[in-house]
Amino acid sequence: MSLLLLDDLSVTYRIASGEVPAVRGVSLGLEPGTALGVAGESGSGKSTLAMAMLRLLPRDARIGGRVLLDGEDVLTMKWGRLRAVRWAEASIVFQGAQHGLNPVRRIGDQIAEPLVVHGRARPEQARRRVAELLEQVGLPAWRARGYPHELSGGQRQRVMIAMALACSPRLIVADEPTTALDVMVQAQVLTLIRQLVAENDISLIMISHDLSVLADVCDRLAVMYAGRVVEHGPSREVFHDARHPYSRALAAAFPTVGDPASRLAPRGLGGDPPDPMRLPGGCSFHPRCPVALDGCSALDVELWPAGEGREAACVHARPKLTEAGEPATTAGEAP
Amino acid sequence: MTEVRESVAGDGVAARGALLEARGLHVEFASRGRRARAVDGVDLAIGAGEIVALVGESGCGKTTLARTLLGLERPASGSILYGGTALHYRSRALRAYRREVQLVLQDPMGSLNPRQTVYEAVAEGPRIHRLAGEQEVVASALARAGLRPPERFFLRYPHELSGGQRQRVVIAGALALDPKVLIADEPVASLDASVRGEILALLLRLRAELGLSALVVTHDLGLAWNIADRVAVMYLGRIVESGPVDRVLTEPRHPYTQALLSVLPESPERVVLTGEPPDPTRIPGGCRFHARCQVLASGRAADAGVDGRCRSESPAVLRAVPDAQAACHYAEATA
Ligand SMILES: Nc1ncnc2c1ncn2[C@@H]1O[C@H](COP(=O)(O)OP(=O)(O)OP(=O)(O)O)[C@@H](O)[C@H]1O
Ligand SMILES: Nc1ncnc2c1ncn2[C@@H]1O[C@H](COP(=O)(O)OP(=O)(O)OP(=O)(O)O)[C@@H](O)[C@H]1O
Ligand code: SF4
Ligand SMILES: [Mg+2]
Ligand SMILES: [Mg+2]
């Protein structure tokens, strides 16, 4: 059974000027002990998706669908149960949270907080656990007595990971854990994350706009565009042989050093990222799509099987097209 | 410990064809009562129409070097030459120089004033330099930066633009003064992957169409591969390896460059350097990289009989020549 199953998850923010459909019907599964990467450009709904998984969204957000953690629906569970689940079973490393560490509290106390709050440990036990956690993320135990400003960006990110590990969760959701870190420091943090997943049998959902990093760390990849998953499959295949033109553009944006094809030939995607309040009709990607067909502006393409364990939401990934470039089948039907 | 050679002044052959050049450059800051040698002996030349990438970890001195090249920072010793003439820091000369050599800042949100229209932002430089025909100057700069038709963007505010468009406005601001050299500090770091390629392609086009030279500061080696002719790798205030991109990034000779390349996603064997980039207030003696050097640590330097020199003798400052070169005893001994 999947450890986590998202079933037609949708999130709509309500703001003064209207509604923002940030996540629009996402279905994904995560097997125990595996890592899933979620990629996509800014505003595509990655963080919203992550927060919806643990019901951490603001009040004005409307959520639809189901989030099954070990078969139990997070969206309908009671508060008490939800609180227990949030730390002990699944924990999240928020995007940019390393900047949100309390500047006047000792690092050790901040790491110990979830342990104490969740009644897991007495102060003495908590201290020992903190030392253990710090060691696990490659920081010396004496750092517990220090304050956040004494740490570099990479070290703060390690502290955040230690906090997420505190209650030995089975699932960690890490939202952009290495963005804005320097190459070598990023490599250190990624090595740490890889180790934790491999050695502690933790499942991981890692969010990043950097497809190349995700492909390196995760077993499977989901690429989001305008609130939807437009491609999903084994990492290497999605990265090297994408079926959706958006994933292809995203992959090409990270050149492989040494590859003659990208030498003095930066590749990107024309046009502007979509505004979720004014999504184009048909396939939301069609205005920027280099291979759009006439029908794409009218046809809302859903995910479609695209090879072994793969799915893509593009007419080109679908089996047959008629001469005129019209898809042979209509949208919305089940694969 | 011996300093082999600081810099050879007037290296005629090397400097031929250089449009902008740093010679024997040292830049220092007072930092908590100590001296931070942020730039610690750099010779670097940028030829006419050449794109040079300056890469290295956070804090290694890239921005300081760039700011000094722009005349925004005064060197403790050494000089900046433009067209073979040393830069004077009298206000008149500096003003003329700043028309020719333009800075393109990272983070367009931070460098654009949110209450200024696109027109006002781009017109600022031309006004300071009292250029005639302001409106045409602004329109043509916007068009060259790929914002077409330019009039459509005149009255927009930064928040009404996408990230890529904002970065184009920043570039247009620099282009409005008809510079010969652009110095771009992380020009795409804050942009989405899909948009990055477009901005990089713009820099290449400006070089092709206007013969612009550029120094691109980045910690992204893929970016260097995408657009630069030459690359200079900086470590703790010094260039430790430089040369043609095709050479340096495919056959790196300095252990530091080798480590940087090895942590790119998909490299076969990772060399993850531990620790944070070291501190410019305590530059180690001998080779400044020796405490983190994997070649020294693995005993390969000893096998080549250079380990003693690694610890006691600073490799010579690299000269401002276009050929591939590395400031490393081991690379020299095994060449
Ligand atoms: N609290 C909120 N209220 C209203 N709209 C929101 C809120 N949070 C996010 N949004 C909008 O929802 C969409 C998805 O945002 P989200 O933060 O999930 O994107 P993301 O993929 O994580 O982007 P990034 O890569 O920049 O972190 C965006 O259009 C965003 O403006
Ligand atoms: N005005 C200043 N006063 C004191 N120290 C400074 C100043 N500017 C820079 N430094 C120090 O000089 C060193 C080089 O900084 P610099 O900003 O040039 O690095 P960088 O390579 O551009 O780093 P990044 O990739 O993080 O932008 C750093 O140790 C920094 O702390
Ligand atoms: S000189 Fe020695 S210590 Fe320095 S990089 Fe070369 S091998 Fe390493
Ligand atoms: Mg986000
Ligand atoms: Mg910098």
Side-chain angles (χ1 to χ4, degrees):
Chain A
M1 186 172 77
S2 297
L3 173 64
L4 182 76
L5 195 71
L6 308 182
D7 176 22
D8 199 23
L9 186 66
S10 65
V11 179
T12 303
Y13 293 107
R14 276 171 291 188
I15 57 173
S17 50
E19 301 206 320
V20 184
V23 172
R24 305 185 297 136
V26 167
S27 298
L28 282 172
L30 178 70
E31 298 309 309
T34 65
L36 168 71
V38 180
E41 66 198 321
S42 188
S44 58
K46 305 182 296 297
S47 296
T48 303
L49 184 73
M51 294 200 283
M53 288 177 209
L54 290 178
R55 234 166 94 191
L56 289 162
L57 290 164
R59 276 172 180 284
D60 54 11
R62 204 170 56 230
I63 313 181
R66 293 188 305 163
V67 176
L68 300 180
L69 188 64
D70 261 334
E72 208 181 340
D73 191 351
V74 175
L75 299 184
T76 55
M77 67 180 50
K78 294 229 164 63
W79 272 104
R81 176 76 190 124
L82 182 64
R83 274 187 37 174
V85 161
R86 274 192 195 157
W87 285 103
E89 288 180 35
S91 63
I92 182 164
V93 179
F94 291 103
Q95 180 172 15
Q98 71 275 22
H99 309 299
L101 282 167
N102 187 336
V104 297
R105 283 190 68 205
R106 290 182 198 276
I107 286 155
D109 294 342
Q110 299 192 51
I111 297 176
E113 188 172 280
L115 294 167
V116 180
V117 167
H118 294 276
R120 284 284 189 108
R122 283 181 230 287
E124 182 46 38
Q125 277 174 306
R127 244 191 308 281
R128 247 180 290 129
R129 178 76 178 133
V130 166
E132 209 176 278
L133 287 165
L134 284 173
E135 193 199 333
Q136 219 176 346
V137 298
L139 289 173
W142 59 264
R143 284 287 184 195
R145 294 190 303 276
Y147 292 92
H149 75 266
E150 296 160 15
L151 301 180
S152 68
Q155 289 170 330
R156 273 182 229 170
Q157 198 54 269
R158 284 166 193 269
V159 168
M160 299 313 299
I161 294 173
M163 284 165 89
L165 289 171
C167 294
S168 317
R170 301 170 57 206
L171 169 66
I172 290 187
V173 181
D175 193 355
E176 307 271 8
T178 63
T179 305
L181 292 181
D182 213 49
V183 248
M184 201 49 78
V185 181
Q186 167 170 317
Q188 292 167 2
V189 173
L190 290 177
T191 304
L192 169 66
I193 291 177
R194 270 192 214 99
Q195 258 170 21
L196 292 173
V197 172
E199 290 166 14
N200 303 321
D201 199 33
I202 289 174
S203 307
L204 174 74
I205 294 182
M206 184 160 138
I207 292 171
S208 173
H209 62 273
D210 189 334
L211 201 61
S212 63
V213 162
L214 292 178
D216 221 32
V217 176
C218 302
D219 307 294
R220 295 179 67 78
L221 273 183
V223 178
M224 289 187 73
Y225 190 82
R228 284 209 187 148
V229 172
V230 293
E231 177 151 13
H232 179 218
S235 295
R236 313 246 123 225
E237 291 170 33
V238 173
F239 188 53
H240 289 290
D241 179 26
R243 292 288 151 75
H244 194 285
Y246 176 68
S247 336
R248 227 164 17 237
L250 205 54
F254 298 96
T256 305
V257 169
D259 172 14
S262 56
R263 178 73 186 119
L264 293 177
R267 269 173 295 169
L269 188 60
D272 287 330
D275 173 354
M277 294 184 73
R278 281 176 215 87
L279 286 180
C283 165
S284 332
F285 185 59
H286 86 264
R288 300 171 82 188
C289 181
V291 294
L293 305 174
D294 289 342
C296 295
S297 56
L299 185 78
D300 188 3
V301 191
E302 309 220 318
L303 276 177
W304 186 264
E308 184 71 34
R310 303 186 61 175
E311 294 175 303
C314 170
V315 287
H316 292 284
R318 301 183 72 163
K320 237 188 258 133
L321 296 173
T322 63
E323 285 292 283
E326 290 291 328
T329 43
T330 48
E333 67 182 25
Chain B
M1 180 185 130
T2 49
E3 270 290 289
V4 173
R5 188 195 63 123
E6 275 306 320
S7 174
V8 180
D11 223 341
V13 191
R16 200 176 298 142
L19 181 57
L20 178 60
E21 196 183 347
R23 271 194 205 159
L25 205 65
H26 288 258
V27 186
E28 297 177 353
F29 298 109
S31 168
R32 280 172 273 130
R34 302 178 63 97
R35 215 159 48 107
R37 287 141 66 194
V39 174
D40 192 41
V42 164
D43 286 8
L44 180 71
I46 302 159
E50 188 180 36
I51 300 183
V52 178
L54 180 63
V55 304
E57 278 166 291
S58 186
C60 71
K62 304 182 296 296
T63 297
T64 306
L65 176 55
R67 289 176 51 83
T68 313
L69 283 168
L70 281 156
L72 296 170
E73 213 73 72
R74 294 278 290 259
S77 62
S79 51
I80 304 295
L81 285 86
Y82 180 69
T85 316
L87 175 62
H88 282 282
Y89 293 85
R90 280 176 291 106
S91 64
R92 260 272 193 81
L94 206 55
R95 209 172 95 177
Y97 176 70
R98 289 212 181 118
R99 257 193 80 174
E100 309 265 304
V101 182
Q102 279 287 314
L103 173 65
V104 175
L105 275 173
Q106 60 185 338
D107 180 19
M109 232 9 196
S111 58
L112 289 174
N113 177 345
R115 279 186 291 276
Q116 220 176 24
T117 60
V118 166
Y119 183 91
E120 294 294 317
V122 177
E124 202 168 281
R127 277 183 201 159
I128 292 171
H129 290 275
R130 301 200 192 89
L131 300 195
E134 183 185 286
Q135 186 150 338
E136 276 132 72
V137 168
V138 172
S140 116
L142 286 170
R144 274 179 288 163
L147 294 169
R148 297 195 195 92
E151 293 76 19
R152 235 181 69 199
F153 293 91
F154 279 0
L155 297 180
R156 295 228 209 148
Y157 287 92
H159 72 264
E160 297 167 333
L161 301 174
S162 70
Q165 290 173 330
R166 285 195 289 264
Q167 188 64 67
R168 286 174 193 270
V169 173
V170 172
I171 293 174
L175 293 178
L177 295 170
D178 258 328
K180 300 283 182 300
V181 184
L182 291 185
I183 294 189
D185 196 348
E186 301 279 9
V188 295
S190 60
L191 297 180
D192 259 322
S194 61
V195 183
R196 264 179 37 160
E198 298 271 294
I199 298 291
L200 297 181
L202 170 64
L203 291 177
L204 278 177
R205 206 176 63 236
L206 292 172
R207 185 258 290 273
E209 287 171 6
L210 312 172
L212 274 184
S213 311
L215 179 73
V216 180
V217 174
T218 178
H219 54 246
D220 181 351
L221 293 172
L223 190 156
W225 181 257
N226 260 171
I227 65 164
D229 305 305
R230 261 187 331 118
V231 59
V233 182
M234 197 166 183
Y235 184 80
L236 201 46
R238 261 209 203 160
I239 308 293
V240 295
E241 180 155 15
S242 66
V245 165
D246 301 85
R247 220 5 230 295
V248 173
L249 297 189
T250 56
E251 299 164 58
R253 291 175 58 221
H254 197 286
Y256 178 62
T257 316
Q258 291 169 348
L260 282 183
L261 280 160
S262 84
V263 297
L264 293 182
E266 304 199 85
S267 319
E269 214 172 314
R270 284 191 191 87
V271 180
V272 180
L273 301 174
T274 51
E276 304 289 321
D279 175 356
T281 65
R282 301 158 202 269
I283 298 181
C287 165
R288 61 193 58 216
F289 183 58
H290 85 259
R292 295 170 88 195
C293 178
Q294 72 277 21
V295 169
L296 181 60
S298 68
R300 273 182 288 156
D303 294 343
V306 295
D307 54 323
R309 294 174 68 202
C310 290
R311 294 195 179 88
S312 63
E313 187 184 310
S314 174
V317 170
L318 297 182
R319 297 184 309 156
V321 294
D323 324 315
Q325 46 178 350
C328 164
H329 299 307
Y330 177 80
E332 208 162 285
T334 56

